[in-house]
Structure formats: structure tokens, C-alpha cells
Amino acid sequence: MASSSRKQDRLTLGVEEEFLLLDPETGESLPVAEQVLDALSGTARTQSRQEFRHSMLEMVTPVCTDLTQLREHLITLRRAAAEAASTAGARLVAVGATPVCEAHLTVPDEQRYHAMSRRFGPVAHDPAVCGCHVHVGVPDRELAVQVCNHLRPWLPVVQALTANSPLYDGRDTGHNSWRSMQLERWPSIGPTPHFESVADYDATVQELITAGIMLDAAMVYWYARPSTRYPTVEVRVGDVCPSVEDTVLVAALVRALVVTMIDRVRDGVPPVRIRDCLVAAAHWRAAHDGIDGVLVDLLGGGARPAWELVDELLDTVTPALARYDDLDLVLRQVDRLRREGTGATRQRRVMAGTDGDVQAVLQHLIAQTVAG
């Protein structure tokens, strides 16, 4: 009976993608977000948002039930935003961190952004970074908190798969996700703590607000959280993906993880308790190595080749992927990643083939952003 009811469950999903607006000649960030927003119309306008930098744009898909629908929305939104960016003399680029430089580090003229600037000072004026946030429909907040507990061991693997920001100030940082390194300066960003209940979660958030660590509950920027805006579990650990195909893969894996962890919660399986310092170390290693090196095995201990842990992630979520008819697509896309590498790997390959030409990397990223 339990397995029958599970087959009837179909969790919705949606994606928020952040993009940079870059100068097509220099690769520098351009403060033209308002012009780009003004150039959008129809659904693309209603699904777009001003972000924390004048050089950033966020596009939000409608609620979706399957990956084909999600893919179509992502393509439509990216292409509409790219066309609007061109009218402002910029290019829409899906990259996790500012690759060259950003001269205009002021925040948009919104009360909340000014409050963040006053509270956090120079941290709020770092060059722009762009993420991919995947929402999976879980309207029960108690269940959402328990799901986040179960997700903790797997989110470094998801982070490694999305790594797409090796460059900073026009040079290779040696990290696959420099965005992750920049974000560590914020006091409310990082691995999701373990919580006993939604009451424990809410009380902890309130303590952090009282202590001045957050302005409000919307500043909970942990890598997984019950969303403050939607009835979802929001996984926000990844860099924005270079292509739509990469985003669809990540969304499919995240939904399958959430489905799998809901099953475990309902079966009474407790989450594995892992020291916070080890979880933080696993995320640092994921940001540094991506899937090209080793990752920390938070369930078995030690460090192992990244692809071994990717394969274990796939084994873990295969029943959920099959339940949603997503398995074949995910296996094809994972095989593509084995051949091509993540966004960070692809950027480095372009640099190696062009004697370190950052402009060639940017042209590659521009093309990837609207491909599909």
C-alpha cells in the first residue's frame, strides 16, 4: 500500500537561475540590469527579478511537473533575457562568479539591499556571483526540515556537479567554484545545520536574527532550506549551470534526492548525524575539485574519487528517477558530463586551447547560455 501511494506522489519543481550581464568586448560586468528588465515583456518579464547587483538578472521558471516542461521554460527564459541584454549592449552569461571585473559594486536602490550593505559592509560589495536554486514541492514544513537533514551528505556531490566558476580577475583561481569561496564570507551561508523539528528550525533562525547575523528569515542562505517564499524544499548549493541541459540534470537529481529522502522520513529512517566541520570540509573540497578530483565521503569516511560518489548518488536516487520516468535522461546527461566535464572543466579546456584567452572562454559561455 505504501509503495502504491508513493507512485501517486509527483513532486513539482521549479528553478531560479541568476545570470551576469557582461560587456561583449572586455568581459567586464555591465550595470544595465534595469535596462534589460525594461526590455523584457510578457511571461519573461513576470518571471524575471532584479538581483543584488546592477549587473545581475534572475529568471524564475513557472512550477513544472516534468523535465520536458522545465527544459522548455528554461530555454524560453534564457533566450528572451539574452535578446533583452543585447538591446542594452550586454551579453547574458551563465557563469558562477564575475570572471573579469566589476567596476560598479553598489547595490540597487532598494531598502532591503541598502540595509544589507550597512550591516555587512564590504562583504555586500564583492563582485557578483550567480547560483542555480532548485525548488521541489514539499508543502509540509515539518517534513521539509527532516528532508534537509537527510540531504546533508549528498549536497557536496551536487555542488561538485554544478561547478562553473574557475575564473576571477581574469585568472584561474585553482578552484572549480570560486562562487562558493566568495559566499563563505557571508555569516548565514553554508551547510544546513541539523534540526530536530520545524520548531527547532524556527527558533534557531529567530536567535540568529536577534543576534544580528540575519536581517530576517529570508536571509537563511543555507544550502538546503524550507523556502521562505514557496511551499518547497529549496536546494541552493550550485553555481548557475552553463547550459540548459546541465540545469535540467541538476534539477532532476535534486528532485530525486528529495523524493528519496521523503521515503526515508516516512519509513522512520533517521538521518546520519555528521559533524558540521566535516560537512563544511566536504563542501570546500567540492568547490575546489569539482568532479575532476576527490570528494569527502561523508557516509563512509575518507576521500574518494569524485566519480565514485557521483555513481553512489545515482544508485541512491535511481528508484526515484525511475518512478518519475527521468532515469534514461539523467543517465544520458551524466554520461555527457563524464565526457565533457562540468562548466569549470569546459572553461579550462577552452583556455588551454587558446593560450589562456579569457575572451574565448566568454564567447564559449555566451553560446552555452542560449544553446538548446
Side-chain angles (χ1 to χ4, degrees):
M1 190 63 143
S3 62
S4 174
S5 66
R6 285 175 184 173
K7 286 182 180 178
Q8 294 172 10
D9 294 339
R10 190 163 189 87
L11 302 187
T12 59
L13 77 166
V15 173
E16 302 170 353
E17 293 190 299
E18 297 166 339
F19 302 97
L20 288 183
L21 300 165
L22 301 184
D23 187 308
E25 301 299 326
T26 66
E28 297 179 6
S29 300
L30 291 179
V32 294
E34 289 187 13
Q35 295 97 298
V36 175
L37 287 167
D38 288 343
L40 290 168
S41 61
T43 302
R45 181 64 187 92
T46 60
Q47 300 298 130
S48 63
R49 295 191 196 135
Q50 172 75 63
E51 256 299 334
F52 196 56
R53 283 284 175 274
H54 293 285
S55 60
M56 289 178 66
L57 186 69
E58 183 177 60
M59 306 298 289
V60 183
T61 71
V63 176
C64 301
T65 57
D66 62 66
L67 299 183
T68 299
Q69 185 182 34
L70 178 68
R71 182 178 183 275
E72 290 172 354
H73 285 304
L74 290 167
I75 292 172
T76 299
L77 291 172
R78 283 187 178 214
R79 289 182 176 173
E83 183 176 344
S86 294
T87 67
R91 295 294 181 270
L92 187 81
V93 181
V95 64
T98 299
V100 178
C101 70
E102 183 166 24
H104 302 272
L105 293 172
T106 58
V107 298
D109 190 18
E110 293 186 14
Q111 183 177 353
R112 177 178 174 78
Y113 291 158
H114 287 305
M116 293 170 68
S117 178
R118 289 191 298 271
R119 176 71 59 86
F120 301 103
V123 173
H125 298 276
D126 279 343
V129 293
C130 296
C132 173
H133 306 161
V134 179
H135 289 260
V136 181
V138 183
D140 182 333
R141 291 187 74 243
E142 186 69 59
L143 178 60
V145 168
Q146 298 304 323
V147 166
C148 290
N149 288 337
H150 280 269
L151 289 175
R152 279 163 50 93
W154 296 110
L155 293 187
V157 185
V158 175
Q159 181 181 17
L161 287 166
T162 67
N164 185 38
S165 52
L167 302 183
Y168 177 76
D169 198 23
R171 294 187 291 273
D172 192 330
T173 64
H175 292 74
N176 278 260
S177 174
W178 186 247
R179 166 185 167 273
S180 299
M181 297 297 100
Q182 279 190 235
L183 288 177
E184 284 190 354
R185 287 155 55 91
W186 288 86
S188 60
I189 293 179
T192 310
H194 177 97
F195 294 103
E196 296 301 326
S197 64
V198 70
D200 182 24
Y201 177 95
D202 289 340
T204 302
V205 170
Q206 186 55 54
E207 287 186 34
L208 291 169
I209 294 170
T210 301
I213 303 303
M214 305 173 185
L215 296 180
D216 50 39
M219 281 198 72
V220 174
Y221 296 143
W222 294 321
Y223 295 149
R225 66 177 187 177
S227 173
T228 57
R229 185 176 301 182
Y230 308 113
T232 64
V233 166
E234 179 185 4
V235 172
R236 45 188 300 122
V237 71
D239 289 358
V240 65
C241 296
S243 74
V244 165
E245 307 306 334
D246 296 317
T247 304
V248 171
L249 171 61
V250 171
L253 289 172
V254 168
R255 180 167 66 174
L257 273 169
V258 172
V259 170
T260 302
M261 300 315 157
I262 287 175
D263 288 350
R264 291 185 180 180
V265 172
R266 289 175 174 169
D267 287 342
V269 179
V272 179
R273 298 296 292 263
I274 306 168
R275 292 183 185 276
D276 288 345
C277 60
L278 292 177
V279 179
H283 280 288
W284 181 89
R285 196 67 195 248
H288 185 274
D289 285 26
I291 55 174
D292 297 326
V294 301
L295 295 176
V296 177
D297 183 351
L298 289 173
L299 295 176
R304 295 169 55 195
W307 274 105
E308 289 185 9
L309 289 175
V310 173
D311 288 337
E312 286 193 10
L313 169 61
L314 281 172
D315 289 343
T316 299
V317 300
T318 285
L321 290 171
R323 192 188 313 173
Y324 280 66
D325 297 322
D326 293 341
L327 183 58
D328 288 345
L329 181 149
V330 166
L331 292 178
R332 288 198 305 272
Q333 293 301 329
V334 169
D335 283 345
R336 177 181 59 82
L337 275 191
R338 289 183 200 273
R339 299 190 306 271
E340 298 179 0
T342 62
T345 304
R346 290 173 233 164
Q347 290 180 54
R348 289 190 170 118
R349 187 179 301 123
V350 173
M351 288 192 76
T354 58
D355 197 26
D357 185 357
V358 174
Q359 265 300 322
V361 176
L362 294 174
Q363 294 306 312
H364 162 78
L365 286 167
I366 291 167
Q368 287 267 290
T369 301
V370 294

